[in-house]
Amino acid sequence: MRLNEVTISRAILEEQHRALIDLLEVDAAVIGGGPSGLTCAALLGKRGIRCALIEKKLSIGGGMWGGGMMFPRIVVQEEARRLLDRFGVACREFEEGYYVAKSVETVAKLTAAACDAGVEFFNLVTVEDVMVRGDGRVGGLVINWTPVDMAGLHVDPLTIACTCTVDATGHDATIARMIERKGGNIQVKGESFMWAERAESRILEHTKEVYPGLFVAGMAANAVAGECRMGPIFGGMLLSGERAAELVAEALDR
Ligand code: 48H
Ligand code: FE2
């Protein structure tokens, strides 16, 4: 077979432009491709909800690759083990109720599940602002290429509209903070000390709609609430992603 470089370029440009244009108006946008965002996006996709996952870095996976202190293993407690099973992630019981999984496998299988569920990924794209209109809802996202931000270039962004947005940006709770900075009625308290049991037991109550149209999941949920951190136990991240998907699905039904 003869190969034409221009055809290769055209294939990439046309396909990706179509994906982006299709998602200019989307039901759900998940910001951040860490464990909570991946779980949320995969489960939204499985429900048939049109979902885009926007990740500022080159790679999907957030803080999961490095496991605990660069030992690429994660711990998941009893309550969340069913989610490892659901996504086909192998694990070993270390002690009663403590399961150990490989972080690389977990990222890979959550990502594959999201792909299979039809989630469209936009990596290297940073959400730099949100759209809030007269109705007081987060109705869209202002996006730009991450390298533009890294290079400090003054290039104006583009915008996508979304009915529901999930802030799964991790410790920084970036999206919630943007709204707070612009005077929106939301207070980001910032995460508290390491206390795994407390952090993991509270994360589901913090996973909620914190501003009209904006849901928080994962570490961002605890950061908004002023809740503790938990270290390299990831059950709460998976459960929070699952809860956020349920809440978004309910909101879209209304
Ligand atoms: C696009 C963005 C933007 C932006 C950030 O940090 P994450 O892995 O987040 P979670 O909440 O799914 O998982 C947290 C977990 O990894 C962790 O750190 C734990 C359990 N820590 C406990 C402890 O005690 O330390 O992923 C967030 C993702 C990252 O990939 C960012 O690059 C991305 O969000 N992101 N993407 N636009 N503005 N901001
Ligand atoms: Fe962390």
Side-chain angles (χ1 to χ4, degrees):
M1 179 185 162
R2 301 191 61 185
L3 291 174
N4 182 325
E5 292 81 356
V6 172
T7 308
I8 296 169
S9 302
R10 206 153 33 81
I12 290 172
L13 289 174
E14 285 189 18
E15 287 297 308
Q16 191 59 16
H17 272 157
R18 189 172 311 131
L20 191 50
I21 288 168
D22 277 356
L23 285 157
L24 284 179
E25 287 169 310
V26 75
D27 296 330
V30 175
I31 309 168
S36 67
L38 283 172
T39 305
C40 180
L43 296 176
L44 286 169
K46 273 183 191 289
R47 287 171 181 264
I49 293 168
R50 265 163 43 80
C51 176
L53 189 150
I54 302 171
E55 168 54 55
K56 73 176 177 185
K57 296 208 172 127
L58 178 57
S59 62
I60 300 298
M64 197 150 56
W65 295 109
M69 212 179 118
M70 295 204 291
F71 294 93
R73 307 262 166 172
I74 59 166
V75 169
V76 167
Q77 65 275 45
E78 190 64 56
E79 292 84 343
R81 193 217 152 136
R82 64 181 172 78
L83 285 167
L84 292 180
D85 291 344
R86 175 156 188 191
F87 292 110
V89 180
C91 64
R92 211 177 72 74
E93 190 168 28
F94 177 73
E95 264 181 33
E96 198 185 340
Y98 292 75
Y99 297 91
V100 184
K102 294 176 178 164
S103 58
V104 173
E105 178 181 347
T106 313
V107 173
K109 290 192 169 160
L110 290 177
T111 307
C115 292
D116 290 347
V119 173
E120 195 69 62
F121 285 85
F122 296 96
N123 61 336
L124 288 171
V125 174
T126 295
V127 175
E128 62 167 55
D129 203 353
V130 295
M131 264 167 61
V132 177
R133 296 275 177 79
D135 63 358
R137 275 184 70 81
V138 174
L141 305 174
V142 180
I143 58 172
N144 213 330
W145 302 116
T146 300
V148 164
D149 184 40
M150 290 169 76
L153 301 175
H154 183 164
V155 177
D156 275 354
L158 292 176
T159 305
I160 64 173
C162 45
T163 312
C164 291
T165 298
V166 179
D167 181 347
T169 61
H171 292 269
D172 296 338
T174 316
I175 309 306
R177 281 194 197 277
M178 278 172 196
I179 295 173
E180 182 183 41
R181 262 201 316 277
K182 294 203 169 178
N185 184 20
I186 176 174
Q187 198 201 346
V188 181
K189 295 186 179 153
E191 79 190 29
S192 186
F193 300 108
M194 172 87 83
W195 184 354
E197 185 178 327
R198 186 185 154 114
E200 291 285 291
S201 66
R202 299 285 172 86
I203 193 164
L204 285 183
E205 69 193 63
H206 302 316
T207 303
K208 58 184 180 189
E209 189 170 14
V210 289
Y211 191 83
L214 180 73
F215 300 77
V216 281
M219 204 56 224
N222 275 13
V224 169
E227 187 55 80
C228 293
R229 62 189 296 193
M230 67 292 287
I233 180 161
F234 279 75
M237 298 300 116
L238 307 180
L239 292 166
S240 173
E242 178 186 50
R243 171 65 59 85
E246 286 162 7
L247 295 173
V248 167
E250 279 169 22
L252 289 171
D253 275 348
R254 283 199 298 271

